[in-house]
């Protein structure tokens, strides 16, 4: 039952971010509109990847064998697409960052808090990808924790960036 709550929270986050991006952050430049579209797609992709942690957490903590088996099968399929999703999401974020820096940097300034949180988010994304690469090369407990920690910190910073007003 609690995983239904988690799935609803994820759906509401995706819907809330879309409403916020498209309704409460209006900007009528075509470049910015495409940048927003790339960011929205990347949000969905990164939400899928970040949620893998919570799937593994439920697998470890659940006492219901049927839930464990079902989630384990889903996790096995998701692990096959984890890296491609991360690469596509990263490419979309790079496009988003470049478009927004060029277009909005002139308007709001390159040192506006929205821009600064974006820079920090990109830095943390690079660290997350590096940690993931290390883990892919040779798995260890430290590398798993490092990748997980960086991913969750990146997720937090990107949520702050997302909802920071212009």
């Amino acid at each position: 039952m609690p995983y239904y709550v988690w799935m609803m929270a994820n759906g509401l986050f995706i819907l809330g971010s879309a409403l916020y991006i498209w309704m409460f952050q209006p900007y009528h430049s075509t470049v910015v509109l495409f940048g927003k579209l790339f960011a929205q797609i990347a949000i969905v992709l990164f939400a899928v990847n970040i949620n893998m942690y919570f799937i593994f957490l439920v697998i470890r903590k659940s006492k219901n064998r049927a839930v464990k088996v079902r989630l384990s099968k889903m996790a096995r399929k998701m692990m096959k697409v984890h890296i491609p999703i991360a690469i596509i999401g990263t490419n979309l974020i790079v496009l988003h960052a470049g478009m927004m820096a060029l277009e909005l940097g002139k308007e709001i300034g390159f040192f506006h808090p929205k821009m600064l949180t974006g820079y920090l988010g990109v830095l943390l994304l690079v660290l997350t990808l590096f940690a993931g690469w290390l883990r892919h090369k040779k798995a260890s407990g430290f590398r798993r924790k490092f990748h997980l920690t960086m991913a969750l910190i990146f997720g937090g910073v990107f949520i702050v960036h997302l909802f920071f007003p212009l």
Side-chain angles (χ1 to χ4, degrees):
M1 185 65 167
Y3 58 91
Y4 289 120
V5 174
W6 184 250
M7 289 172 64
M8 258 180 31
N10 277 283
L12 289 174
F13 172 72
I14 299 291
L15 180 64
S17 67
L19 289 173
Y20 184 75
I21 288 172
W22 297 106
M23 297 184 81
F24 299 110
Q25 293 288 319
Y27 200 83
H28 300 294
S29 163
T30 306
V31 173
V32 171
L33 290 177
F34 273 104
K36 289 164 89 171
L37 177 64
F38 293 152
Q40 185 65 52
I41 296 168
I43 287 170
V44 172
L45 295 175
F46 285 131
V48 167
N49 271 355
I50 288 174
N51 276 304
M52 291 186 66
Y53 167 72
F54 297 101
I55 290 171
F56 289 124
L57 183 68
V58 171
I59 290 169
R60 276 195 310 272
K61 300 289 183 183
S62 179
K63 298 193 186 326
N64 185 337
R65 180 165 162 52
V67 169
K68 285 184 172 195
V69 168
R70 190 171 349 124
L71 288 177
S72 295
K73 287 179 182 178
M74 182 184 0
R76 210 171 292 129
K77 291 176 186 172
M78 287 178 67
M79 282 306 292
K80 292 177 183 173
V81 296
H82 180 75
I83 293 172
I85 285 175
I87 291 169
I88 293 168
T90 300
N91 287 326
L92 290 171
I93 289 299
V94 168
L95 287 171
H96 164 77
M99 295 169 119
M100 294 306 196
L102 291 174
E103 194 71 22
L104 282 183
K106 298 179 285 192
E107 297 279 327
I108 64 173
F110 292 99
F111 297 103
H112 186 279
K114 182 84 165 180
M115 301 293 276
L116 294 175
T117 57
Y119 304 148
L120 180 60
V122 169
L123 175 67
L124 289 169
L125 178 58
V126 168
L127 287 173
T128 302
L129 292 172
F130 176 69
W133 178 76
L134 285 176
R135 182 159 191 241
H136 183 72
K137 289 294 170 195
K138 182 181 180 215
S140 71
F142 171 77
R143 291 177 181 199
R144 183 187 69 80
K145 287 179 185 173
F146 180 48
H147 181 56
L148 172 63
T149 303
M150 295 313 308
L152 293 177
I153 293 171
F154 163 71
V157 168
F158 108 74
I159 289 172
V160 169
H161 171 73
L162 170 66
F163 291 111
F164 201 93
L166 278 176

